[in-house]
Amino acid sequence: MENFPPSRQSKLVTVQRHLMEEQSLHQGATGQFTSLMWDLILAFKIISREVNKAGLVEILGLTGEENVHGEQVKKLDAYAQDRMFKAMDHGGHLCVMGSEEEEEIIPIPPEFPKGAYVLLYDPLDGSSNIDFNISIGTIFSVYKRVSITPTGDGTLEDCTQIGLHQVAAGYCIYGSSTMLVYTTGRGVHGFTLDPSVGEFLLSHENIRIPSAGKVYSINEGNALSWAPGTKAFMHHLKETDAATRRPYSLRYVGSLIADVHRTLLQGGIFLYPEDTRDPDHPRSKLRLMYEANPMAFLTEQAGGIATTGTQRILQVKPDGLHYKVPLVLGSPYEVQLYQKFIKDHSPVATPH
Ligand code: P6P
């Protein structure tokens, strides 16, 4: 605690105070980023309020529209997208946004000033679970702009940087409680919303993922689509693992935020590998820019590993805003073991 101001030692720390203290640790910080995060936090509070009463207000169900991925758009999806845009479009911190719900990049309206940052987000990830009261959430990823344009507008280049260039990432999970988990590259910190005062209070300071776990998280229904290395790894986990003398348990929510949140706190491994049934055209589901990259930044900052199986997620170069990748993340023990299985079962692997 010696490198944090005395206030942090009282533990009653709001996320706003945490951000101010983080800002004081960054030489030359202008406050633009802190102000951007405050706007984001307001959006999370508003979305949380609607999500937590969705069953009571007629905003469950479908809008009848489809998003860029051909997925049915749920009313709460559309509401969350609208809230995020309206909270973030006028603060003067952003030059452009990218959303899971919009095919193209989202310009800042001409009447508002442009800033130095770029925001990528999934306004309501896991929304297929909305009607079943399963945890869902908002995922966000922040970059500094790399483009220079006469109007100040950001570009697609700004929105398709590699994950290593993220300046912040996190999620807000709307579950049994509403929690904000974020990193700015100085560890991972969790804040739980106290609805009675409307404040996110520090509840999980410096989250560290266990070096090994007891849980694996994967959609077993896709087993026939897995590559040989993934099949061998999953079989291994179901036997008694020699190093741990116990089989693993399966926990799979089908909501990325919920599965990653549990993995960060409990350890183990989360996998969404590619579908290899057409070996010439392997297919992935999770999107790099607003799902895999932010989760990878958080995982690495918490002491874990995040990979495609053969490449560090944060080094993957996207070919577009909605580029999809296989995602495997979690405790170093399990993820390194997975990487070994993939290597040993790859077509180019040479027999020992
Ligand atoms: P499946 C939700 O739709 C999502 O994008 C992620 O939140 C989640 O990890 C994944 O899809 C679940 O996919 O194919 O297992 O239902």
Side-chain angles (χ1 to χ4, degrees):
M1 291 301 289
E2 66 287 344
N3 58 342
F4 289 117
S7 64
R8 192 81 62 85
Q9 291 152 17
S10 73
K11 290 297 182 192
L12 190 60
V13 178
T14 63
V15 66
Q16 284 86 347
R17 173 179 288 280
H18 191 270
L19 284 162
M20 290 302 289
E21 289 168 357
E22 290 284 296
Q23 178 182 309
S24 70
L25 300 173
H26 286 275
Q27 298 302 325
T30 64
Q32 262 224 23
F33 172 73
T34 300
S35 178
L36 182 166
M37 288 298 293
W38 287 2
D39 289 347
L40 260 181
I41 288 159
L42 175 61
F44 297 153
K45 289 179 183 177
I46 294 170
I47 296 169
S48 171
R49 183 192 60 197
E50 292 307 311
V51 166
N52 286 321
K53 66 182 184 183
L56 304 174
V57 179
E58 268 317 295
I59 53 176
L60 286 180
L62 303 176
T63 61
E65 296 154 21
E66 280 193 351
N67 65 14
V68 299
H69 313 285
E71 295 163 342
Q72 284 294 313
V73 176
K74 298 233 173 216
K75 289 177 182 172
L76 263 179
D77 260 338
Y79 177 83
Q81 169 56 25
D82 181 59
R83 288 297 89 189
M84 285 290 287
F85 178 71
K86 289 202 168 68
M88 305 309 297
D89 67 346
H90 58 280
H93 324 303
L94 299 174
C95 62
V96 66
M97 292 186 258
S99 168
E100 192 251 6
E101 291 297 328
E102 300 289 340
E103 184 154 7
E104 306 301 332
I105 60 174
I106 305 168
I108 300 301
E111 66 268 29
F112 297 133
K114 314 297 184 289
Y117 292 97
V118 180
L119 175 68
L120 297 161
Y121 62 93
D122 185 347
L124 209 55
D125 186 82
S127 55
S128 54
N129 296 299
I130 287 178
D131 296 344
F132 317 117
N133 208 12
I134 291 172
S135 297
I136 53 182
T138 305
I139 309 173
F140 67 93
S141 173
V142 183
Y143 293 81
K144 279 273 189 139
R145 72 176 304 164
V146 292
S147 71
I148 298 171
T149 58
T151 60
D153 284 320
T155 65
L156 181 60
E157 180 194 13
D158 291 312
C159 295
T160 52
Q161 302 177 56
I162 62 168
L164 272 177
H165 296 166
Q166 290 174 98
V167 295
Y171 55 80
C172 191
I173 182 169
Y174 313 115
S176 51
S177 64
T178 292
M179 256 192 83
L180 167 62
V181 176
Y182 87 96
T183 183
T184 60
R186 294 173 51 81
V188 179
H189 309 286
F191 300 79
T192 301
L193 182 64
D194 178 342
S196 67
V197 294
E199 292 287 2
F200 280 101
L201 301 178
L202 182 63
S203 54
H204 298 69
E205 186 168 23
N206 195 26
I207 295 172
R208 301 297 293 169
I209 193 168
S211 57
K214 304 176 186 173
V215 173
Y216 71 92
S217 186
I218 192 169
N219 183 340
E220 286 273 2
N222 298 331
L224 297 182
S225 74
W226 297 338
T230 302
K231 286 177 179 170
F233 174 75
M234 297 313 299
H235 180 73
H236 173 79
L237 285 193
K238 292 167 187 170
E239 297 175 327
T240 300
D241 178 88
T244 59
R245 302 265 178 277
R246 72 191 181 289
Y248 285 72
S249 296
L250 169 61
R251 295 288 183 273
Y252 189 74
V253 180
S255 172
L256 179 64
I257 291 177
D259 286 318
V260 171
H261 187 66
R262 183 202 55 251
T263 304
L264 286 178
L265 295 179
Q266 193 178 35
I269 187 168
F270 168 84
L271 311 93
Y272 207 108
E274 60 191 359
D275 180 335
T276 59
R277 281 172 293 191
D278 178 352
D280 298 326
H281 302 92
R283 287 182 301 116
S284 295
K285 174 166 189 179
L286 298 181
R287 281 58 61 102
L288 178 66
M289 296 315 297
Y290 41 79
E291 289 178 316
N293 268 336
M295 294 315 196
F297 189 15
L298 288 164
T299 301
E300 291 197 4
Q301 281 291 309
I305 299 174
T307 175
T308 64
T310 56
Q311 185 181 9
R312 185 183 180 194
I313 289 287
L314 295 183
Q315 290 177 317
V316 175
K317 179 65 187 146
D319 72 359
L321 183 60
H322 303 291
Y323 185 59
K324 299 179 179 180
V325 289
L327 174 62
V328 177
L329 59 78
S331 298
Y333 174 76
E334 281 82 11
V335 178
Q336 286 165 342
L337 186 62
Y338 177 75
Q339 289 171 309
K340 184 180 182 311
F341 271 83
I342 292 297
K343 185 163 181 268
D344 292 351
H345 289 76
S346 65
V348 296
T350 49
H352 295 295

